[in-house]
Amino acid sequence: MSRPEYEAPPEIYYGDAEAKKYTNNSRNQAIQSQMTERALELLNLPPGKPAFLLDIGCGSGLSGEILDDEGHVWVGVDIAPSMLEVALEREVEGDLFLHDIGQGFGFRPGSFDGAISISVLQWLCNADTTSPTSSPYARLTRFFTTLHASLTNSSRAVFQFYPHSDDQIRMIMGVAQKAGFQGGLVVDYPNSRKAKKYFLCLFVGNGGSSSGAAKIQVPEGLQGDGDAIEESRAVKYESSRRTSKSDLRGSKGKKRKNLKDRDWILRKKELYRQRGKGGVPRDSKFTGRRRKPEF
């Protein structure tokens, strides 16, 4: 089966139908959850302290939900309008930007405490035009240079991606190092056919290392029977989904009351106001109150 990045540019490949299909697929949800959790582990953020993170290629917000669960605040960028539309329908908590990461970022220097990216980096290695400024090398250079400036000192950026070849890996790492990053490649379950995953772990400054050494030690990849671990994770994720769905229902199959309490409603209204959505009702003492039935 052909890889998606070879079929069409991402903003075309992920149209309305494909965006919803990808988001609603339980297997995609499980894989996205696992890889986001692993990326957060490699970020090595201070425990118990919320961070301001950049989700590169955020799509419909599947990774952002994991960031929310961990207590972090995030901003997502993606080039596919249909993916961002699904994210808005799902009412994700992060702020969303429609943006081509190959053109670089315009964030203020030192804006983010870290960055993650799941299954995105390989898309930058394909040229959609013959223009020299649209070559993979030029797009990667703009991307990594502006990303480096957007991160705080001692922060990290972790990219899970699917490289096509060793030459592609060398090109990506070479451009990242020229942009000022340190770090290297982390390969989880290198001997597994299904569970093998590539993570590019990049450091700004000392990458949060307490040793202060000039050469930062790249984290080691996970070892073991990756196929068995992958299968058990998929089963665990599916069972957790069923449990969470059953928690939303009472003993007689009816939805529990007060799932959307006053605090939840106020947060959503404030989020809509920040995004410039019109027609948001004013807050009052009646906000969130259950109305009596009318006869």
Side-chain angles (χ1 to χ4, degrees):
M1 187 175 69
S2 177
R3 292 166 63 124
E5 59 267 27
Y6 297 154
E7 295 187 19
E11 64 272 26
I12 297 176
Y13 182 84
Y14 289 108
D16 292 343
E18 188 64 29
K20 292 181 180 178
K21 177 183 174 183
Y22 181 92
T23 304
N24 295 329
N25 187 293
S26 60
R27 184 173 182 273
N28 288 339
Q29 294 173 9
I31 294 173
Q32 192 90 5
S33 173
Q34 295 161 15
M35 293 189 296
T36 304
E37 289 173 353
R38 176 59 172 152
L40 281 173
E41 181 182 335
L42 293 172
L43 271 186
N44 193 33
L45 296 168
K49 182 180 179 182
F52 187 41
L53 302 177
L54 178 63
D55 186 359
I56 302 169
C58 63
S60 56
L62 295 178
S63 297
E65 289 182 340
I66 307 300
L67 301 182
D68 289 333
D69 292 343
E70 296 296 326
H72 301 301
V73 180
W74 59 280
V75 169
V77 295
D78 202 281
I79 195 175
S82 296
M83 277 292 200
L84 294 178
E85 193 67 35
V86 174
L88 289 174
E89 291 174 0
R90 299 175 68 242
E91 298 184 340
V92 299
E93 296 289 344
D95 291 325
L96 305 174
F97 289 87
L98 178 64
H99 182 65
D100 178 9
I101 61 174
Q103 299 302 318
F105 297 110
F107 298 114
R108 289 186 300 178
S111 294
F112 299 99
D113 302 316
I116 66 166
S117 178
I118 307 298
S119 307
V120 173
L121 201 54
Q122 68 271 9
W123 289 89
L124 286 176
C125 297
N126 294 308
D128 299 326
T129 68
T130 57
S131 171
T133 58
S134 297
S135 68
Y137 185 87
R139 288 171 62 79
L140 285 167
T141 298
R142 289 193 294 268
F143 170 71
F144 281 120
T145 301
T146 55
L147 175 63
H148 186 275
S150 301
L151 297 173
T152 59
N153 194 24
S154 302
S155 62
R156 298 187 181 191
V158 176
F159 305 84
Q160 184 279 325
F161 70 115
Y162 295 99
H164 174 69
S165 63
D166 291 341
D167 289 339
Q168 192 177 88
I169 294 175
R170 283 192 287 269
M171 178 181 67
I172 291 172
M173 294 181 62
V175 174
Q177 289 171 356
K178 284 186 178 181
F181 285 105
Q182 299 185 60
L185 194 66
V186 177
V187 183
D188 286 351
Y189 310 116
N191 300 319
S192 170
R193 184 176 62 87
K194 291 183 179 180
K196 186 177 183 180
K197 294 290 186 296
Y198 291 87
F199 291 86
L200 182 62
C201 191
L202 300 178
F203 311 133
V204 179
N206 64 6
S209 173
S210 58
S211 61
K215 184 71 174 178
I216 306 170
Q217 187 69 32
V218 177
E220 294 184 359
L222 302 178
Q223 305 293 326
D225 188 353
D227 293 338
I229 294 174
E230 192 88 350
E231 185 67 24
S232 65
R233 282 179 172 175
V235 172
K236 182 179 179 181
Y237 178 82
E238 187 62 27
S239 62
S240 67
R241 284 179 71 246
R242 291 172 181 169
T243 302
S244 62
K245 284 184 177 181
S246 63
D247 286 344
L248 296 178
R249 300 188 176 275
S251 58
K252 295 183 179 180
K254 297 181 180 179
K255 289 188 176 180
R256 284 190 324 201
K257 299 178 182 179
N258 301 327
L259 286 178
K260 298 181 179 180
D261 58 12
R262 177 181 170 84
D263 291 338
W264 185 91
I265 294 172
L266 291 174
R267 287 199 305 271
K268 286 300 177 183
K269 289 167 71 174
E270 182 62 28
L271 183 63
Y272 288 149
R273 292 189 186 104
Q274 291 175 1
R275 290 176 176 171
K277 185 174 181 178
V280 180
R282 294 185 298 108
D283 299 336
S284 72
K285 64 180 181 179
F286 301 106
T287 300
R289 281 192 181 182
R290 185 177 179 85
R291 289 174 171 79
K292 296 180 179 180
E294 295 183 1
F295 296 97

